[in-house]
Amino acid sequence: MTATRHTRDKGQAAQPQVSIRQRRNVAIRKAYVECAETAGPPIAPDRADQTVLFRPILGTGGRLILTLFTLASAGSSLYFLGWLLLPDHVPGGVVQGGSGWQLVIARLSYILMIIVELIRFLQSVTVIAFAYFAKDPVPMDPPIGLRVALLTTIVPAKEPIEVAERTLRKMKQVLYAGKVDVWILDEGDDPAVKAMAARIGVRHFSRKGRPEYNQPAGEFRAKTKSGNHNAWRAEHEHDYDVVANVDPDHVPMQSFLERTVGYFRDPDVAFVVSPQVYGNMYQNWVAHGASVQQYLFNGIIARGGNGMDAPLLTGTGHLYRPAAMRQIGGYQDSIIEGHVTSIKLHTATNPATGNLWKGVYTPDVLAIGEGPTSWADYFNQQKRWAYGVWEILLRPDLRKSDQLPLKRRWQYRLLQFYYPSVAVSLLLGNIATAVYLLTGVSSVKLAGGTWISLWGLTLVTWFGLLLWLRRYNVAPHEREEVGMPGMGLALFAGPIYVAAGTAALLRRKLAFVVTAKGKLRTTESLGTFKLHFMWAAIAAALLAASFLGHHDFTLLRIWAGLTLATGLAPPVAAMLSSIVARRHPEPDAVEQIRHPQPGDPTAILPVIRDHTPYRQPSVPRQRAPYASDPYAAAQPSAEPYAHRGRHR
């Protein structure tokens, strides 16, 4: 990549020249801006309390093709599993004799191999199920005159003030025909944050120094995002009809409210959530891989949640109805608070209608964020998500499986399958490999050519399905990319998933860690990769043992070699990236933008200029007058926080 250079024309000040990497990120941001109306044009509702309408994303032809891919993928996987389960392939079976400890080990390894293949089959079933159910909501014109709070948060030690200021300035430009208050929830009660808020005209809140809002656990747990939001809720939520939240590194579109508030006409809608996309994907390889990993979720999984009547409430880019949130006691005390809060909302009933509360996922890209750019931040993020899912599975009080309707229950089961399945299959596969490389006892003796052919067929049909599903990714560039950086990054996160599962099973508490942003990002050290070094050391020792013991089954040596590469690739990549960064440094984009020079071509980099194609909401459409406020019936008459003090 070329470094950013400065040129000086005669009579002009030096101007920065944008690097290739920065230009590619600009192109990505522009592409996402064009996706602000993915769900289509809004409709004028028939009545004030119009129910949300959904339409399948697959037409008749798409469902037919998906069915063919399903038959091919499931059929090849089941055929392979059936072939492995033939009696003459079972250790000690019809053809293979043996007894003693070798037979016991062989059969245990055989069982592990079958479990790994079964998990891989179920992973494909999960994606197929979400694809079949995938639906988009039909946008509706928003009701006018509602009171809306737009929130973002900041942890000054982890998040630069200039990043939050960029987001707040764009939040103030969000369009809506009603009262909109912009808030920053400051965990540090930082004087600089206060001054910035006053300077740009937004409201400031902090719970610092207030013991009632800094508890060791529960609704107001200290040093957590949920506790921070719940403290604000206790003081101010009753002043608003809708509350919206974006992370401080996410820049909202002007149409953020106009494209979402209309869904709250439906009195049973508890929350609305939009895609989480990253506009810095070309900053480095980690950012690129983290961005790619969002494609399938935003394009298929989240839309499948609509069809299964239980879209997931994610941490940023969401809006909620205060009446619903008050009913469940606010954001839940969990390391993945959005996920657990989503479950709690989907088990609760709207007292005004007697119906279950529901959520809406819109594919409209309404905020553009920044993904993790360091291995340390990416691993912290993935460990937190994986640990949180394990915690839900291990604690009945969090998963509420007996209280969820059947379709919603299965939606969450499928959604929560990913992290545990990756960790378990990776661990069991390595255990089975280790058994052979150390002892020479093979779980099964098969014809290598047939094995490779059948196993390869399952991979080909699976990847064919994934490649076809790209057409439903949100943005055009997402549909053109195969996604290898995301797959590679997921592979390298394998040891993190295993460690997260182990910590959850041992009931070791994992502290909430804010993903550092901007210039405060967490830098790598040798300690960042301690799990990977351990992973690589074990793989290297197993390979050495196989050569010493002449245990030369090639396929299992290849597996051990891949494990070795999984352990060594991240630290090597981090070292090479560090060398390149020192040789070709680039100025911090946000710092450039705070005082841009006239004509500075980098001014678009961290800030989305007003390129959004969304039209001025108050002009083009004649809205029908409504005699009653659709929110009046859903709002409780008693204020549950009236006994608490106000903090203005």
Side-chain angles (χ1 to χ4, degrees):
M1 299 295 180
T2 59
T4 300
R5 298 183 298 274
H6 289 74
T7 59
R8 185 185 298 272
D9 295 332
K10 187 174 182 180
Q12 292 184 350
Q15 300 293 325
Q17 193 174 63
V18 184
S19 71
I20 296 175
R21 181 186 298 118
Q22 290 172 328
R23 290 186 185 278
R24 295 179 78 184
N25 279 336
V26 169
I28 290 299
R29 287 178 165 90
K30 288 182 176 179
Y32 278 132
V33 167
E34 298 299 320
C35 299
E37 292 188 342
T38 301
I43 63 171
D46 296 329
R47 60 183 190 274
D49 59 349
Q50 174 69 54
T51 301
V52 177
L53 305 174
F54 292 92
R55 52 191 169 210
I57 69 169
L58 274 71
T60 303
R63 295 184 73 84
L64 176 61
I65 295 174
L66 178 60
T67 300
L68 294 176
F69 270 114
T70 300
L71 293 174
S73 180
S76 60
S77 295
L78 290 175
Y79 186 86
F80 180 49
L81 279 167
W83 182 77
L84 289 175
L85 290 170
L86 290 175
D88 56 350
H89 292 160
V90 179
V94 176
V95 177
Q96 305 170 73
S99 61
W101 66 270
Q102 293 96 336
L103 179 59
V104 173
I105 290 179
R107 285 182 171 175
L108 288 175
S109 297
Y110 176 77
I111 292 172
L112 296 183
M113 180 183 66
I114 297 299
I115 292 175
V116 169
E117 290 303 322
L118 183 59
I119 288 174
R120 197 160 60 85
F121 167 68
L122 293 176
Q123 286 174 336
S124 65
V125 169
T126 297
V127 174
I128 290 169
F130 278 114
Y132 268 112
F133 282 100
K135 292 182 179 180
D136 283 345
V138 178
M140 286 188 284
D141 280 332
I144 62 175
L146 298 182
R147 302 164 300 168
V148 180
L150 269 175
L151 312 181
T152 192
T153 60
I154 187 170
V155 180
K158 285 284 187 177
E159 296 160 325
I161 294 177
E162 57 268 18
V163 171
E165 179 175 349
R166 174 194 69 195
T167 296
L168 289 167
R169 289 186 180 278
K170 299 307 293 184
M171 290 168 73
K172 285 179 64 64
Q173 297 176 19
V174 170
L175 300 173
Y176 174 66
K179 176 187 176 183
V180 179
D181 290 336
V182 177
W183 288 83
I184 183 163
L185 282 52
D186 176 12
E187 279 280 49
D189 201 19
D190 190 282
V193 175
K194 283 184 177 180
M196 178 268 292
R199 182 175 66 253
I200 63 178
V202 302
R203 307 184 71 174
H204 177 274
F205 172 85
S206 181
R207 62 171 172 161
K208 184 177 181 181
R210 305 189 67 181
E212 68 273 26
Y213 294 144
N214 288 274
Q215 299 295 314
E219 183 179 359
F220 303 114
R221 186 177 178 183
K223 299 181 179 180
T224 63
K225 184 177 180 180
S226 60
N228 190 13
H229 275 281
N230 285 336
W232 177 88
R233 289 184 52 255
E235 298 283 334
H236 302 287
E237 182 186 75
H238 55 273
D239 292 330
Y240 300 99
D241 302 307
V242 175
V243 177
N245 169 65
V246 295
D247 279 352
D249 60 344
H250 277 62
V251 176
M253 306 283 189
Q254 286 187 340
S255 58
F256 182 83
L257 294 177
E258 289 286 332
R259 295 291 294 182
T260 53
V261 172
Y263 298 119
F264 287 99
R265 289 187 182 279
D266 186 335
D268 294 322
V269 168
F271 66 87
V272 177
V273 64
S274 62
Q276 181 172 326
V277 302
Y278 301 141
N280 64 331
M281 65 180 293
Y282 289 114
Q283 187 166 339
N284 57 30
W285 195 83
V286 174
H288 192 175
S291 299
V292 171
Q293 288 177 351
Q294 299 295 319
Y295 295 174
L296 184 65
F297 181 84
N298 292 333
I300 295 295
I301 306 299
R303 284 163 148 170
N306 279 335
M308 295 185 187
D309 195 30
L312 182 68
L313 175 65
T314 52
T316 189
H318 70 261
L319 306 88
Y320 70 82
R321 188 190 300 269
M325 194 65 84
R326 281 196 290 269
Q327 186 178 339
I328 65 167
Y331 291 97
Q332 302 300 290
D333 181 13
S334 169
I335 201 164
I336 50 172
E337 73 289 331
H339 195 124
V340 180
T341 302
S342 183
I343 295 175
K344 194 73 178 286
L345 283 168
H346 280 135
T347 61
T349 300
N350 179 1
T353 65
N355 301 323
L356 288 170
W357 288 111
K358 59 186 177 183
V360 176
Y361 167 79
T362 172
D364 294 338
V365 177
L366 300 175
I368 302 176
E370 293 183 8
T373 57
S374 74
W375 289 96
D377 287 331
Y378 175 75
F379 289 155
N380 283 335
Q381 179 195 71
Q382 295 297 304
K383 189 173 185 179
R384 184 173 76 247
W385 291 353
Y387 180 94
V389 169
W390 275 103
E391 190 176 43
I392 291 171
L393 295 177
L394 295 171
R395 290 179 53 185
D397 61 310
L398 292 181
R399 64 176 182 268
K400 304 282 185 183
S401 59
D402 58 331
Q403 300 178 30
L404 286 166
L406 183 62
K407 186 183 288 189
R408 292 184 175 186
R409 187 184 314 165
W410 275 104
Q411 189 272 351
Y412 280 109
R413 284 177 177 173
L414 294 174
L415 194 64
Q416 293 156 1
F417 183 65
Y418 174 71
Y419 290 114
S421 69
V422 172
V424 170
S425 60
L426 192 60
L427 184 61
L428 296 185
N430 278 283
I431 290 175
T433 301
V435 167
Y436 173 79
L437 296 180
L438 287 174
T439 68
V441 177
S442 176
S443 61
V444 60
K445 292 182 173 62
L446 301 171
T450 305
W451 185 339
I452 288 294
S453 298
L454 293 178
W455 186 68
L457 181 61
T458 65
L459 291 183
V460 169
T461 55
W462 169 235
F463 278 107
L465 173 64
L466 291 180
L467 290 176
W468 181 78
L469 287 175
R470 289 184 308 165
R471 68 189 58 233
Y472 299 106
N473 289 349
V474 173
H477 68 272
E478 298 179 357
R479 301 169 202 143
E480 298 168 358
E481 188 169 0
V482 175
M484 295 307 295
M487 297 178 192
L489 205 58
L491 176 65
F492 298 149
I496 303 299
Y497 299 152
V498 173
T502 303
L505 289 169
L506 296 176
R507 300 298 198 271
R508 294 177 181 170
K509 296 298 293 183
L510 189 67
F512 184 90
V513 178
V514 177
T515 302
K517 301 170 179 67
K519 64 185 180 182
L520 296 180
R521 75 168 198 162
T522 307
T523 55
E524 289 86 2
S525 66
L526 291 178
T528 302
F529 305 103
K530 59 184 178 182
L531 288 174
H532 292 78
F533 287 133
M534 188 189 328
W535 207 254
I538 293 173
L542 291 173
L543 283 172
S546 73
F547 283 103
L548 291 175
H550 303 289
H551 308 146
D552 55 357
F553 190 18
T554 303
L555 287 177
L556 294 182
R557 281 183 176 172
I558 290 175
W559 181 286
L562 290 174
T563 303
L564 179 63
T566 299
L568 293 181
V572 170
M575 179 185 66
L576 294 176
S577 297
S578 178
I579 293 173
V580 172
R582 286 197 298 269
R583 291 182 177 178
H584 305 286
E586 293 193 21
D588 182 79
V590 173
E591 288 296 332
Q592 291 183 27
I593 302 314
R594 293 196 67 187
H595 304 287
Q597 298 293 326
D600 183 352
T602 65
I604 192 175
L605 280 173
V607 180
I608 298 299
R609 298 290 183 188
D610 299 318
H611 295 304
T612 174
Y614 190 74
R615 297 173 295 278
Q616 186 73 14
S618 58
V619 175
R621 230 172 248 102
Q622 192 71 28
R623 294 190 178 91
Y626 297 107
S628 62
D629 180 1
Y631 293 87
Q635 299 297 330
S637 58
E639 174 51 54
Y641 298 114
H643 65 285
R644 294 175 183 156
R646 301 292 181 94
H647 179 73
R648 301 275 182 188

